[in-house]
Amino acid sequence: MKKLQEKYNLFTAIALCFVVYVVLSWFMPTATLSSSGVTEGAAAPVGLFSLFYYPTYALGNFIQFGLIILALGAFYGVIAKTGVYGNLVTKYANKYKGKEKTFLIVITALLFIASSVLGVPFALLIIVPFIVAILTKLGFNKITTLASTFGSILLGNVGSTFGQSVAGTSSILLGLKLSEGLVPRLIFMVVIMVLFILFIATNTQTKVEKEIVEETPKKNKKGHEEKVTTEVSKKQDVLFLENEEVKNKKDSSLFILLLTTLIIAILAMFNWNEIFGISFFEDIYERIIAITIGDYPIFKNILSLTVPFGYWDSYELIALLLIAAIIIGWVYNLSIVDVIDGMKDGAKRLIKPAFYVTIANIVFALVMASTEAGNGNIAIYISSKLSTITEEFNFITPTLAGTLSSFFYNSYTQFFSYIGAVLSSGLESDLYVVMAFILQCTHSIMMMLLPTSLVLVTGLSMLDVKISDWLKYIGWLILQLIVIFLIILLIWILII
């Protein structure tokens, strides 16, 4: 049983979340949210049939997240097939030999800032396997690599400044300007980034463990053989280079293509118009699709793209990754068979993360299904009850509501649409920005811990790190984050 739990550590954690929701559904009342307010309802128990229905419901309705990971695998599978990827990884690893901590700090800071400012986590994942490969080559262990990459993206959401997926969503839904509450968010961002970098860089367990290896016995002066041992780092497979031969080809083109794919994904998935009022990309899109030959809309039909830059989502990202993979195969003269084989091998390499990132939506699927069926949900009920404990605004009840409700919502947009609406009901508009900051921090911190967090689950399964080991590693940092969050929040409330 113990071996089974160790092997399926992450699956067990996700299943446990599902069980917790099922148990709660039998005695916890629900509530619905409408324009007239919150209406309490009866419990909506998850019955025996639903125990089998909802897991398949989650697979069917959230398969796009799994497809993104499979497309990412296919993309890197073709990259590995070129034989140049190994050169590229080795070149950057050699460049930072002796300066490993510098590379670790720089990468951690860059991903953190990108996440905080942009808030497009799945676009940022495009570069992560490449960074993971370099960190592995530099001798960092899996949990340090996980923290520096996936952890940085998650923590960037905690300190979100302009990020579309968190701070941007809060501002848009509440009708606020992003400049409102920006100073406390910037202070929090800088403090936690410095704290996180120190936490990673000063950790004594950053490198791969050593092991004793016996060498060929040597004879001493008396002619007797003596055992000779040496201490070496345990071997770690480099992501997407486990079984690929390395060819001596030029790698600069590959790096440019990889970077171009990342930049296109960021530009296309970040809503420049809603966040910054920049309509440039939408205007360009309209001009391109308006081009006709005679009356025939040539580019509109060739591209078949109905979504302008700034509004791309899961399926556009999947298409981009696959198109980029084909272009890379063409640039490096791969045959169609090689491209297909590369895609197949790469997707196979990430089939486990793809599965986990899909089923990680199981609790969210239950919540949304219950809401759509008109039964309301438990999170709205909990938040409503907490919001009515005191007549005046206090930071404790929304903090508790945000923390508890994060268990039910792994989508910040849906979380804020419902929980933010409940907590802001009857609240003075001057306090909206404080409440938004509270929900941003509580939800994002919980996404660093819960096995329903899509980015966390992807990282854990991709790097084969147990969630229990991750929680032991990150627990002390989370406690520090909570203390800093409460201090900033308390000062902020006292000032206003």
Side-chain angles (χ1 to χ4, degrees), residues 316-327:
E316 288 81 17
L317 178 59
I318 293 165
L320 173 66
L321 287 168
L322 296 178
I323 291 169
I326 293 169
I327 292 172

Side-chain angles (χ1 to χ4, degrees), residues 312-352:
W312 281 27
D313 208 337
S314 305
Y315 294 107
E316 288 81 17
L317 178 59
I318 293 165
L320 173 66
L321 287 168
L322 296 178
I323 291 169
I326 293 169
I327 292 172
I328 288 170
W330 173 71
V331 169
Y332 282 92
N333 297 316
L334 295 182
S335 67
I336 295 175
V337 173
D338 284 340
V339 170
I340 293 172
D341 285 344
M343 286 184 173
K344 183 178 68 176
D345 294 341
K348 186 187 290 186
R349 173 65 180 80
L350 294 189
I351 196 165
K352 186 170 75 170

Side-chain angles (χ1 to χ4, degrees), residues 285 289 296-307 316 319:
Y285 165 79
I289 64 168
Y296 188 78
I298 181 70
F299 283 106
K300 181 179 179 180
N301 289 336
I302 289 175
L303 295 174
S304 297
L305 186 62
T306 58
V307 183
E316 288 81 17

Side-chain angles (χ1 to χ4, degrees), residues 50-274:
S50 297
L51 292 176
F52 299 95
Y53 168 74
Y54 282 114
T56 56
Y57 175 88
L59 285 170
N61 285 271
F62 297 96
I63 190 64
Q64 68 269 26
F65 297 107
L67 292 176
I68 290 173
I69 304 305
L70 290 178
L72 183 66
F75 175 68
Y76 270 92
V78 173
I79 287 176
K81 205 73 173 176
T82 64
V84 185
Y85 185 52
N87 296 345
L88 195 61
V89 171
T90 302
K91 182 172 79 174
Y92 280 93
N94 290 338
K95 186 177 179 180
Y96 287 93
K97 280 289 184 185
K99 297 182 287 185
E100 291 90 349
K101 284 287 178 75
T102 301
F103 182 79
L104 183 72
I105 290 168
V106 169
I107 285 301
T108 301
L110 286 175
L111 283 176
F112 176 92
I113 293 169
S115 178
S116 172
V117 174
L118 299 170
V120 282
F122 282 97
L124 293 177
L125 286 186
I126 291 173
I127 200 69
V128 167
F130 176 55
I131 296 170
V132 166
I134 298 172
L135 289 169
T136 304
K137 278 275 190 180
L138 289 173
F140 290 105
N141 60 26
K142 289 181 178 181
I143 204 156
T144 302
T145 301
L146 175 68
S148 180
T149 51
F150 294 92
S152 294
I153 293 172
L154 286 165
L155 196 60
N157 285 335
V158 180
S160 182
T161 49
F162 300 99
Q164 178 175 307
S165 58
V166 182
T169 294
S170 303
S171 298
I172 291 167
L173 292 176
L174 287 175
L176 299 171
K177 294 179 180 178
L178 267 173
S179 57
E180 296 182 68
L182 181 59
V183 172
R185 293 204 306 271
L186 279 171
I187 293 170
F188 191 50
M189 169 201 164
V190 173
V191 171
I192 63 176
M193 183 176 72
V194 172
L195 184 68
F196 188 49
I197 288 171
L198 289 173
F199 176 80
I200 292 178
T202 59
N203 196 300
T204 56
Q205 302 295 323
T206 58
K207 290 301 190 92
V208 178
E209 292 180 5
K210 302 282 187 179
E211 62 180 352
I212 304 298
V213 177
E214 289 189 11
E215 295 183 354
T216 305
K218 294 182 179 179
K219 291 184 178 181
N220 58 21
K221 292 180 180 179
K222 295 182 180 181
H224 299 298
E225 288 188 346
E226 291 184 343
K227 286 184 178 179
V228 179
T229 60
T230 184
E231 194 177 54
V232 298
S233 298
K234 289 182 179 179
K235 186 179 178 182
Q236 291 189 119
D237 287 333
V238 180
L239 192 62
F240 290 105
L241 279 176
E242 295 92 342
N243 302 308
E244 293 293 336
E245 62 173 307
V246 178
K247 300 173 184 176
N248 188 21
K249 290 182 179 179
K250 193 174 180 181
D251 53 42
S252 57
S253 298
L254 180 61
F255 182 73
I256 292 169
L257 289 166
L258 177 59
L259 204 59
T260 301
T261 306
L262 172 67
I263 291 169
I264 291 173
I266 289 172
L267 291 176
M269 299 187 78
F270 185 84
N271 198 316
W272 302 94
N273 197 356
E274 288 192 348

Side-chain angles (χ1 to χ4, degrees), residues 184-185 188 433-441 485 488-489 492:
R185 293 204 306 271
F188 191 50
V433 68
V434 181
M435 191 267 293
F437 178 71
I438 291 172
L439 293 186
Q440 164 184 316
C441 295
F485 157 68
I488 290 176
L489 188 59
W492 192 359

